[in-house]
Amino acid sequence: MGERNILDRLLEVQNGYIRLVDAQNEGVSKHSVLDYVRKNEMEKIAPGIYISPYAWEDRLYSIQLRNRKIIFSHETALYIHNLSDREPFSPVITVGRGYNAKHLKDNGIVVHTVRQEWLELGLTKAQTFTGNTVRIYDKERCICDIIKNKKRMDIQVFQKALTSYFSDSEKNIHNLMEYAGIMGVSDKVRQYTEVLL
């Protein structure tokens, strides 16, 4: 397969985005990528990441491409899971302790840090509203997170998330209680479960 065909395929698979590192992993030279970017009038949105002029820029996907280890959480995850009807003003993510998140905070992203052994608890993938796949916590982890951080949550977002989750036919109470045990919020989660189920 020729370099142009490889780049065309990457552009299609990644919904109008090309990462230099992905192209190089496929055997395409940096020179060829930059030539392709120029000829197709693509815009550089971050070092080594380019977007087609015909693609919708997806802020969450762009953040994910630049920061492979982050996980969308809290209000952002609730919104993607349809547990909130309020899109957060700033994206909300979680990283492991020790992760240098200064560049994220400087760009208006809300950053939560957790101990390393909790980082991948409930990790899944979901599609943003423009169809791009990002790393995100599942609904059960989101519920544990918002109960754990209730004092910092908007009360209306908190209540809507809980009532939406407990009326969801796809809820997984077993996973919810398992996560709650690991995160030390079993009693609080049990209280809400007894009231809302």
Side-chain angles (χ1 to χ4, degrees):
M1 187 184 287
E3 289 186 327
R4 181 170 181 84
N5 289 347
I6 292 170
L7 293 168
D8 286 342
R9 183 177 54 78
L10 282 174
L11 195 65
E12 186 178 335
V13 168
Q14 297 184 342
N15 291 340
Y17 288 81
I18 285 185
R19 290 176 68 225
L20 178 59
V21 68
D22 294 333
Q24 289 177 316
N25 287 343
E26 297 269 346
V28 180
S29 71
K30 181 177 180 179
H31 173 76
S32 296
V33 173
L34 296 177
D35 189 50
Y36 181 89
V37 163
R38 185 180 48 75
K39 285 180 179 167
N40 289 284
E41 299 178 359
M42 296 178 73
E43 181 186 345
K44 179 179 181 177
I45 59 167
I49 302 174
Y50 306 91
I51 186 171
S52 162
Y54 307 106
W56 289 98
E57 184 167 356
D58 178 339
R59 184 166 184 217
L60 299 182
Y61 188 59
S62 296
I63 294 167
Q64 182 79 87
L65 286 175
R66 288 186 298 240
N67 307 277
R68 292 301 216 182
K69 293 185 178 179
I70 67 162
I71 302 167
F72 289 101
S73 62
H74 297 79
E75 292 89 342
T76 297
L78 293 173
Y79 186 69
I80 290 173
H81 285 309
N82 290 313
L83 296 177
S84 171
D85 48 17
R86 196 184 303 174
E87 184 175 5
F89 179 71
S90 299
V92 185
I93 60 138
T94 295
V95 294
R97 284 199 185 130
Y99 183 93
N100 183 357
K102 183 182 183 317
H103 66 288
L104 295 165
K105 293 175 184 172
D106 289 348
N107 283 303
I109 296 166
V110 177
V111 179
H112 291 268
T113 54
V114 295
R115 52 179 78 169
Q116 210 59 47
E117 61 268 26
W118 292 1
L119 185 61
E120 296 197 357
L121 184 68
L123 175 61
T124 187
K125 290 186 175 172
Q127 288 196 328
T128 65
F129 293 99
T130 54
N132 295 302
T133 303
V134 292
R135 288 162 40 103
I136 187 173
Y137 285 128
D138 64 15
K139 294 176 184 181
E140 288 70 29
R141 171 62 188 266
C142 290
I143 295 302
C144 290
D145 277 338
I146 67 168
I147 289 173
K148 192 167 185 61
N149 293 290
K150 182 181 179 187
K151 289 180 180 154
R152 290 187 278 169
M153 291 287 302
D154 177 289
I155 192 66
Q156 289 176 322
V157 172
F158 181 83
Q159 290 172 339
K160 165 85 170 124
L162 287 178
T163 54
S164 297
Y165 175 76
F166 283 104
S167 62
D168 185 344
S169 61
E170 295 179 12
K171 65 185 169 293
N172 186 326
I173 299 300
H174 173 76
N175 283 1
L176 179 68
M177 295 314 299
E178 183 184 330
Y179 299 169
I182 293 168
M183 295 174 68
V185 289
S186 292
D187 291 346
K188 291 178 182 173
V189 170
R190 196 171 289 111
Q191 285 170 5
Y192 287 109
T193 303
E194 287 167 2
V195 171
L196 293 165
L197 265 187

